[in-house]
Amino acid sequence: MPEVSELRATGAKAMELKETLTLPKTEFAMKANLPQNEPLRLAKWAELDIYGKLREAGAGRPSYLLHDGPPYANGPLHLGHALNKGLKDFVVKSKTMAGFDSPYVPGFDCHGLPIEIKVDEQLGRKKLEMPAPAVLEACRAYAQKYVDLQTAQFERLGVFGRWRDPYKTMSRDYEARTLETFYGFLEKGFVYRGLKPVYWCIHDRTALADAEIEYEQHTSPSVYVRYRLTSSVDGLGEEAATALAGREVYTIIWTTTPWTLPASLAVAFHPNFDYVAFAAGEEPDAPVYIVASALAAQVATACKLAEPVVLARFPGDRLDRATFQHPFLDRSVLGVNADYVTADQGTGAVHTAPAHGADDFYTGVRYGLDPTCRVDNVGIIQLDTSVWHESEPPAFDGKKVFAANPLIVQLLRDRGALLGYQEFEHSYPHCWRCHKPVIFRATEQWFIGLDTPVLRADGSDTTFRQLTIEQIATVKWDPGWGQERITNMIATRPDWCISRQRIWGVPIAVFLCTACHSPVEDAALNAKIVKLFEDEGAEAWHMTAVESLLPSGITCAKCGAGEFRKETDILDVWFDSGSSWHAVAETDRELKGAYNRPDRTVLYLEGGDQHRGWFHSSLLASVALRGRAPYTNVATAGWTLDELGRAMSKSLGNGVDPVKVANEMGGEIVRLWVASIDFREDMAASENLMKRCAEIYRKLRNTFRFLLGNLDGFVPAEHEVAFADLEPLDRCMLAKTRSLTEQILDWYERFEFHRIYHAVNEFAIADLSAFYLDVLKDRMYTFAPSSKARRSAQTVLWKIAEALVRLLAPILSFTADEVWEYLPVVEGREASVHLALFPKPEEIYREDPAPLLAEWKQIFGGRDAAMLVLEEARKEKRIGKGLEAEIEIRTTGLSYEVLHRHAAGLKEILNVSKVTVVEDLTTKVLALPASGSKCARCWNFMPVVAPYGIWNDVCTRCSEALQAMGIQPSTGEAA
């Protein structure tokens, strides 16, 4: 800076006194321009090969593996995707910066019905003429289009990973590993093929797993139907035999699926319930009805029957093997006993159709009932002509099930069998893909038996189901209720139906005997087919002839026949994704080392619906094949809702497009929103909330800008002040920063990202912007740049900036890396903040911060009291700005000791011209007009102000600062 005399000598205009202040200076822009600058940052990361550099840096470190649950590749990102990948990115980056080797291989779920349906729509009737490989290729192309789109969108949000080489469930290697997983189940005896009722979507014409069912409201016809008793009443007991002799006796069933009545083969009664036979009125010829005693009054009301007169009572086991006449078919219906009959609604008599219900089916097995299903794969009812002897078929024949309901209701009415009818709105299973109501339909399917006998690691006997439940207990669940939820699901679920009647997926590559339909079980053959899939993909199953795959001369082990066919079903997509622990984590070049370690840490992080989805199928596959859970930790996220608590949907138009937010406000804003909420709960999102996050971001950015601006000219290697020589206030702020760092590192460990968001926000705005950075202005602007006190402040500002930029890097990935480039040069600094490690608390403040912070709590208490007094003085117009005042603090005891010890620094933290601490038994704070004169440079009121060359009213402190800055006093006129 030139001397004033030099300016005069050259004819230049003399500088103003304010130009001698050292104001913040940085090229770090105030305006972020995130939509424009973030893509430039992405390009820098690509040029640097940031993920590759992270892999190099992680070599030799302890491992932490987050295994990615693959999103479905059939559309652009929605907010749930952004939440999911944002959380995973926070975990991977924070674990990496905590000193772990934390690779991240993203995945994509590519098989399944939604893609096949879209391809069907594109191909139209042409699909019927296309060979299977051509259809599969069209499906691959469709899925790849969205893999590419989602990849670009995830990268746009700043998510790091192996995006150039993700895993895809449609890749040849993945398909081969999925088939290998299936063969593992098959060879261990878990798999069987059988006729069972399964959830069936008549719209998509395929079986569905429990995980593919969603419950939605549905209106069904609720009917009460009477079945006439045809067996003797003598079997009901002596009382009943006497009371019911010569009477017309019926039972009443209640159902909301009239379309299943043509398949009605039995009526189930609970063996231990008390049943009554009541007459509908006093007349001797009034019909008699058998229902559960607890429901008799309710049934009479629903059916609008006369006041019931109870004629006899008997237990339900008396109705076992009784017979009834079907209400409109020439069929005898069997009375059976079943424990699943309830008395909370209905009649206590349950219409049983073995082809259309799980309980019905197993009851049918016990009683030898025919499970043949007469509803085809599109839901059309086909009449059993052996029990219909009229010349014209019934109206329901050839109709779809839901269309048949009113026709069957009318038939019941015409036959005098309908006792009650009303529309009934209830929760009903729907297909999760097409959202159409589903049915139960008995079909030949492939199943995995949950109660298959297995051995524990110690050799003791158990079942597959029980071993799975035991493995659940070895996992750390976050939130903890996840353990109970998935345990209950495993404990109560039926056998796993793994077959689907579609083409786009991994074939169930099994050969079946054409005579007895038994599968060929040959481990060597299985290995040969896996190799075929590796080399040629799943298409090879459709292209290769049976005889070229089977060994010459092979015969069926069961019946001896020599002809075989290929199974045409594919595996459930949940089996696909549930095999990823084997197809990826256990075998991938980057992941297998971490996954296969005995002391491994493997995290699965997905939405709460995955307890019945990916968590569930992965668990079953891993326990069956490896005897252990595929994960050691599971974290679960809630649902994204709008501000009114409604689920986001296209129909409501209340969705928030994360890509649009990134393009208009910045990907950093989406990331900040993800960090702002407790992901374990359902969370609200809207454009307004995104704007609030943008405002928070602006304040955080300005805090970084102020930090960087005040570090202008600071070279740590030359100017860092030793810890012992720091100013007391600066030591206090370092202690606060250490305390914050310890908290943040703990919160990262526990995935409490929302706590980090709130704590950093409070620290930046309250502790820094509103206090420390504000009170430092006098020291930073007016002291000589080389002064020890100013260097003390710069040392602490540098340490705070170094800590904050690292601590926030996993969340504010773009901005932290930008700040990193503007920090003072340090030898050996990493090329990106993401290659650095988190700060160690002891490197920030080497002692336990608690004692110092406790002492400063007393000081801040005194400050709070003084600030209230200053505010009152301003209101009374006794003072103006803080520097126009001086404070007198009267106190005693520990408070006096602490304040007196820090008396020299109180002026700074109160931002007044003078502070006096007086020992007095009466605690009191006084605000007085400042004595002395106002310095024209620092605006403090000082005992002495004097001319300094051409400038008047310069205090002694500022004169010394000007001298230290090389600005010598001179004469002449001021500018």
Side-chain angles (χ1 to χ4, degrees), residues 369-381:
L369 304 177
D370 180 11
T372 301
C373 180
R374 297 187 183 278
V375 175
D376 70 12
N377 65 349
V378 294
I380 292 175
I381 298 175

Side-chain angles (χ1 to χ4, degrees), residues 577-588:
S577 59
S579 302
S580 65
W581 61 268
H582 173 57
V584 183
E586 192 175 66
T587 56
D588 183 88

